[in-house]
Amino acid sequence: MIIIYSDSNEEFRREAVKMGKFYNVEPVVVDCGKNEDRHSRRESVISALHATDFVAFICHGWKQGIELGFDTTNTAQLADALRCYGPLRVVLYCCSTAGGGVDGDGGFADHLRDLSGAQVDAHDGAGHCTRRPYVRRFDAGAVAQGGPWIVAPQHDLWPKWYRELHDSDLRFRYPMMTREEIASHLAQ
């Protein structure tokens, strides 16, 4: 597991440290200061990658990219680096990266999944970096249109999903769980 976070926000650091303690790994910080250019940020991310089955990015995001220097014009560079390590899960704890067309089609998370073949979980809209409940899953290996909600806002499990993301470690565990495991956990 690799946790990569931006130094631009104290909450990113706090959540990266909490996640690191949960999984017993040391998070990697990427300098996103005003003087750090996007190319240097991308190089920092790629040099931090190594053989793993899970990568978490914690930083600012938008529909077409993330603060760590990647957007839909250069996603292939990140996807190529991720593909080197086999079956992979990626979580983008980055606002709005699941945005786009229908079910997030054409947005950054969809583009990353399409190019890397990885399962990508990502937030739709702005909110807290790890506790935002509007999360889409772009399934591994599927070059498809967008990704469905992990728990749909109108679903009966939505209130518990919302609470658990705010009050428990589920926010760190769900990327490693199937939709069925998440539903089973929430139904308890």
Side-chain angles (χ1 to χ4, degrees):
M1 165 177 294
I2 304 169
I3 303 166
I4 300 174
Y5 72 99
S6 161
D7 68 347
S8 70
N9 183 302
E10 181 60 22
E11 189 63 13
F12 298 155
R13 186 195 66 75
R14 276 193 296 269
E15 288 299 293
V17 168
K18 287 177 189 174
M19 188 176 195
K21 285 181 181 175
F22 183 80
Y23 284 108
N24 197 30
V25 298
E26 187 68 32
V28 176
V29 64
V30 173
D31 182 2
C32 289
K34 291 181 180 180
N35 297 324
E36 190 70 21
D37 66 76
R38 293 172 54 83
H39 175 76
S40 296
R41 293 177 192 178
R42 287 192 301 273
E43 291 302 316
S44 294
V45 168
I46 288 172
S47 68
L49 296 175
H50 54 76
T52 187
D53 61 351
F54 178 71
V55 180
F57 294 98
I58 305 175
C59 64
H60 290 294
W62 59 95
K63 289 180 184 177
Q64 300 299 315
I66 60 174
E67 177 185 25
L68 300 176
F70 295 97
D71 59 38
T72 54
T73 67
N74 59 29
T75 312
Q77 186 180 7
L78 178 58
D80 289 346
L82 292 171
R83 264 197 322 272
C84 291
Y85 303 114
L88 186 64
R89 296 173 192 227
V90 174
V91 63
L92 299 171
Y93 291 116
C94 318
C95 291
S96 303
T97 51
V102 175
D103 291 337
D105 188 47
F108 183 75
D110 181 62
H111 202 66
L112 183 58
R113 181 272 317 269
D114 289 350
L115 293 175
S116 69
Q119 171 188 296
V120 179
D121 292 344
H123 294 170
D124 195 339
H128 187 273
C129 54
T130 61
R131 293 180 173 101
R132 179 142 177 87
Y134 297 91
V135 182
R136 294 187 179 281
R137 176 160 290 168
F138 299 82
D139 291 309
V143 179
Q145 184 175 13
W149 297 114
I150 290 181
V151 177
Q154 67 278 10
H155 195 281
D156 292 345
L157 294 174
W158 178 261
K160 189 157 185 195
W161 168 247
Y162 181 92
R163 278 191 313 276
E164 291 257 346
L165 290 179
H166 285 77
D167 300 337
S168 79
D169 59 18
L170 181 63
R171 67 188 187 274
F172 302 137
R173 290 186 295 119
Y174 78 78
M176 302 301 280
M177 300 167 73
T178 66
R179 283 186 188 86
E180 294 76 20
E181 289 169 336
I182 294 167
S184 176
H185 170 80
L186 295 172
Q188 296 176 6

